[in-house]
Amino acid sequence: MAVDCRPFSKDLIRRGWHLARGLKALLIAVHVKKPLDQVTPEDEASLRDNMELAVDVGAEVVYLEDSNVAANQARFAKERHITQIVVGKTNRSPFKQLFRPPMSHRLLNIVTQDVHIVIPAARGRSSAILRECARAS
């Protein structure tokens, strides 16, 4: 699964863990750093927290560096014989996506593996769904 410093990565890790557990498969958390990216201390701390969560759920943690994140993820998946890839959906506007497609879409065009795109839950949406399920039962 693709992990970065954003808080949403914690959701990706949990979703990846559920998928791996269901498939009885190894879970690998991968972070690809772009060489020219300037990383703030806050982002470093957040990435460290996310990777610690990955380790806590039993994932192998891998750090890579490449300017093309999608190609690097694809290459890594091929080298490690990975069959399922979990990535997050971008928050970029559709207008910006016209000029640079999100990593998830670029990845879909270059891999043969199954790609699971996780969409962030709207604030409060998941708890509302849980409340509805509790009322229905």
Side-chain angles (χ1 to χ4, degrees), residues 12-94:
L12 287 178
I13 293 165
R14 291 181 188 104
R15 291 282 189 93
W17 176 78
H18 283 286
L19 180 64
R21 188 180 73 173
L23 295 171
K24 295 179 175 60
L26 177 67
L27 179 63
I28 304 172
V30 179
H31 173 71
V32 180
K33 180 186 180 302
K34 293 181 181 180
L36 301 177
D37 277 356
Q38 298 294 324
V39 182
T40 67
E42 293 83 14
D43 286 348
E44 282 183 20
S46 181
L47 176 62
R48 190 172 37 256
D49 289 346
N50 291 343
M51 291 307 213
E52 285 173 6
L53 174 62
V55 169
D56 289 347
V57 299
E60 174 186 344
V61 171
V62 177
Y63 293 89
L64 304 171
E65 189 169 321
D66 197 316
S67 57
N68 187 334
V69 176
N72 192 287
Q73 291 272 358
R75 185 172 40 256
F76 180 79
K78 185 176 181 179
E79 289 169 1
R80 295 290 298 267
H81 307 286
I82 291 170
T83 60
Q84 310 287 317
I85 301 171
V86 179
V87 296
K89 183 182 180 301
T90 185
N91 288 334
R92 262 192 274 152
S93 72

